[in-house]
Amino acid sequence: MDTLLVPPEALQPTARRPGPLWLLAEVTYRCPLHCAFCYNPVDFAAAGPELSTDDWLSVIRQARAMGAAQFGISGGEPLLRDDIEALVAEARRLGFYTNLITSGVGLTEARLAALKEAGLDHIQLSFQDATREANDLITNTRTFDLKRKVAALTKAAGYPTVINCVLHRSNIDHLDRIIEMAAEIGAEYLELANTQYHGWAFLNREALMPSAAQLAQAEAVTERWRQKLGKKMRILFVTPDYQSKKPKKCMNGWGEVFLSVTPDGLALPCHTARMLPGLDFPDVREHALDWIWHDSPLFNRFRGTAWLPDTCQTCEDKDKDHGGCRCQAYMLTGNPDATDPVCPKSPDHALIETALATAERQHNSHPLIFRDPKASKRLERAF
Amino acid sequence: MIPAGACPRINRLFRFQWEPAQQAHVLLYPEGMVKLNQSAGEILKRCDGTRDLPAIVADLEASFNATGLTADVEAFLAMAEEQNWIDWTEA
């Protein structure tokens, strides 16, 4: 009998890192809203043609086979496509938890019924403010009444009601009324997301950034409502990077849990990574998702902590924050390998202090640049 | 206090399922997931709105050849209710 020279464990396939848990399909950059705080790339109008339904179905099947459990459909406004129901049905059949992230525009009763039939688990509805005037101003549309109507419809259809509101200089003082509105609607979750300065939001940063006093007041208001509502409505308050001075482990780590696909088929480790220079973004029509996740240069570029700059290598928090957000580092310093400047230990932290000081001084004098295809073509820039 | 005869069930805000990739039961909810250890999975699997606490305990004790699980199961269900994972049917 042959001697077994190879230890049995070596015969097992090499243990691979887990696959993504989250698949986000950004199915279109088209949007009826024109929010000045949108994180989409400013040059979205230059993106290639949108993926077909079959392309998306293939992505969904591959991601589920790799172990992804959460499937989100976002955009732009995903309801501008007429195949959302088909994507949801396939994702749900495969065992995904399905999330539709929408402005509510286009969510008619008929469509809501079709999505329910397809097995949609959850709708996240965005509100931009608590009054018609303020909502319609920042979105540059007349959509407030429609959103209230859609919220009532989704509630009646038995969905968990999740409301998202992006906070900025012009609406943060209305927070008390915003939370009250969410409670009136009967939301189970309210996500209050302070603007992250990517894409259009970076372009409009001076006009959008609240003062420290505004932010402190908003936190106090949130806490008061948490005490009052308890378990009835969970309120998530996402602190802004700039003011918290804490770099965030972006997407819970580059290439660790999250995979996003752009309308034109590029696979990304975070929503905004396509702005980064010198990277080859794999196209889901040309490469298998398994190769993209495990082996592509893009998904390995900032994976783990080995690539971190010296400032971070010697820092005790490097495993907690992985040096912060790559896009933020690039937008602010021009170097995507730099320590995120929001970190006080960053050699570039003065850039943040300057932005914060500007927010204290200014008096709402900056005009907003609204997100629309014309402006996108005219500006010809990523952020 | 758990009313006599009331049965725990998974809250409608959550979906409970077996995930082959995790080799674990999980609770899925809007944009999130809780990975459950084996005992949590086995308890929640039995929270189908038709079995009360004594029935769930009896079933677990029979399945795992154990005794005296009542206090552990009760404590877990109290935590699960606090987390909104379960609610109780009317007695």
Side-chain angles (χ1 to χ4, degrees):
Chain A
M1 206 171 139
D2 291 337
T3 313
L4 190 64
L5 293 174
V6 184
E9 62 269 26
L11 297 174
Q12 303 295 320
T14 320
R16 303 186 87 188
R17 70 176 60 255
L21 282 176
W22 237 113
L23 171 66
L24 180 69
E26 290 193 330
V27 292
T28 183
Y29 282 135
R30 290 173 288 142
C31 192
L33 269 57
H34 308 292
C35 303
F37 54 72
C38 185
Y39 69 74
N40 280 170
V42 173
D43 56 1
F44 72 84
E50 291 178 9
L51 291 184
S52 70
T53 307
D54 284 343
D55 293 332
W56 282 117
L57 290 173
S58 168
V59 167
I60 290 166
R61 289 176 192 133
Q62 292 180 66
R64 182 61 186 151
M66 292 167 72
Q70 288 281 348
F71 174 58
I73 304 185
S74 169
E77 173 48 62
L79 291 165
L80 288 175
R81 281 183 68 122
D82 59 12
D83 58 358
I84 298 308
E85 292 81 351
L87 305 188
V88 167
E90 180 64 1
R92 185 67 180 81
R93 187 184 70 77
L94 296 170
F96 268 114
Y97 189 91
T98 51
N99 307 273
L100 175 66
I101 299 154
T102 177
S103 69
V105 179
L107 198 52
T108 59
E109 272 177 82
R111 235 162 154 204
L112 199 60
L115 285 164
K116 190 86 188 164
E117 175 71 26
L120 182 65
D121 291 289
H122 150 236
I123 296 171
Q124 179 189 293
L125 185 63
S126 64
F127 271 83
Q128 281 69 33
D129 211 321
T131 66
R132 183 180 299 114
E133 293 71 25
N135 179 84
D136 294 359
L137 174 74
I138 194 77
T139 62
N140 208 18
T141 59
R142 294 191 181 159
T143 48
F144 184 73
D145 293 335
L146 177 80
K147 283 165 178 284
R148 284 297 296 249
K149 193 177 152 215
V150 166
L153 286 175
T154 59
K155 184 86 194 161
Y159 286 107
T161 303
V162 181
I163 291 177
N164 172 284
C165 185
V166 173
L167 300 179
H168 50 81
R169 191 176 183 90
S170 309
N171 72 357
I172 197 165
D173 295 333
H174 312 157
L175 188 55
D176 191 60
R177 181 67 195 111
I178 291 169
I179 301 175
E180 188 183 17
M181 177 189 71
E184 278 167 19
I185 288 170
E188 277 93 7
Y189 301 92
L190 173 63
E191 188 180 302
L192 300 168
N194 279 281
T195 304
Q196 298 284 14
Y197 300 103
H198 292 123
W200 294 84
F202 189 78
L203 197 64
N204 287 304
R205 194 180 67 179
E206 275 71 32
L208 294 172
M209 190 177 290
S211 69
Q214 284 183 298
L215 192 66
Q217 170 68 11
E219 284 178 303
V221 167
T222 303
E223 202 40 51
R224 203 164 63 234
W225 276 99
R226 279 193 184 131
Q227 299 296 327
K228 187 171 163 186
L229 296 171
K231 269 185 7 176
K232 238 166 75 184
M233 185 170 84
R234 306 258 173 178
I235 308 177
L236 182 70
F237 188 89
V238 184
T239 54
D241 284 17
Y242 279 51
Q243 274 101 343
S244 72
K245 304 200 189 313
K246 277 213 172 77
K248 285 181 184 139
K249 189 178 177 185
C250 213
M251 307 319 296
N252 213 27
W254 181 278
E256 288 193 17
V257 294
F258 183 88
L259 190 153
S260 170
V261 179
T262 66
D264 48 338
L266 306 183
L268 303 178
C270 86
H271 304 65
T272 56
R274 80 183 296 172
M275 74 166 74
L276 296 173
L279 296 172
D280 194 12
F281 300 103
D283 188 316
V284 295
R285 287 160 297 191
E286 291 163 18
H287 299 282
L289 223 51
D290 190 79
W291 177 85
I292 289 173
W293 180 258
H294 291 288
D295 303 318
S296 71
L298 177 72
F299 276 77
N300 286 298
R301 179 67 174 82
F302 298 111
R303 206 170 232 156
T305 54
W307 62 273
L308 284 171
D310 292 346
T311 313
C312 300
Q313 286 299 358
T314 52
C315 176
E316 58 191 15
D317 289 332
K318 74 171 177 183
D319 292 316
K320 263 191 247 162
D321 60 34
H322 285 205
C325 171
R326 291 307 88 221
C327 297
Q328 202 147 262
Y330 171 58
M331 286 186 294
L332 291 164
T333 73
N335 175 14
D337 288 88
T339 298
D340 187 338
V342 303
C343 181
K345 293 180 186 170
S346 157
D348 303 301
H349 186 62
L351 294 166
I352 299 295
E353 298 293 343
T354 306
L356 293 175
T358 307
E360 294 305 313
R361 271 200 316 274
Q362 61 115 343
H363 304 283
N364 300 326
S365 53
H366 286 269
L368 291 166
I369 303 172
F370 291 104
R371 176 206 191 278
D372 70 45
K374 259 190 211 151
S376 174
K377 285 181 192 133
R378 178 169 50 82
L379 291 161
E380 287 188 322
R381 51 191 279 185
F383 55 88
Chain B
M1 263 312 278
I2 298 162
C7 302
R9 64 184 166 196
I10 306 291
N11 186 313
R12 67 175 186 87
L13 298 178
F14 291 87
R15 203 167 89 209
F16 173 76
Q17 69 185 30
W18 173 258
E19 275 295 292
Q22 308 285 329
Q23 284 297 298
H25 283 101
V26 299
L27 284 166
L28 294 162
Y29 58 97
E31 301 184 33
M33 180 173 90
V34 182
K35 185 175 168 180
L36 300 161
N37 65 22
Q38 197 201 348
S39 40
E42 291 296 335
I43 297 170
L44 287 178
K45 196 159 90 179
R46 290 162 173 80
C47 295
D48 58 4
T50 70
R51 291 181 255 203
D52 63 7
L53 178 65
I56 288 171
V57 171
D59 188 11
L60 285 165
E61 290 181 344
S63 302
F64 295 95
N65 198 19
T67 53
L69 295 182
T70 302
D72 285 348
V73 175
E74 204 167 355
F76 173 80
L77 290 177
M79 185 278 292
E81 188 180 7
E82 177 55 33
Q83 296 289 328
N84 258 356
W85 297 348
I86 59 157
D87 52 24
W88 295 82
T89 62
E90 297 295 321

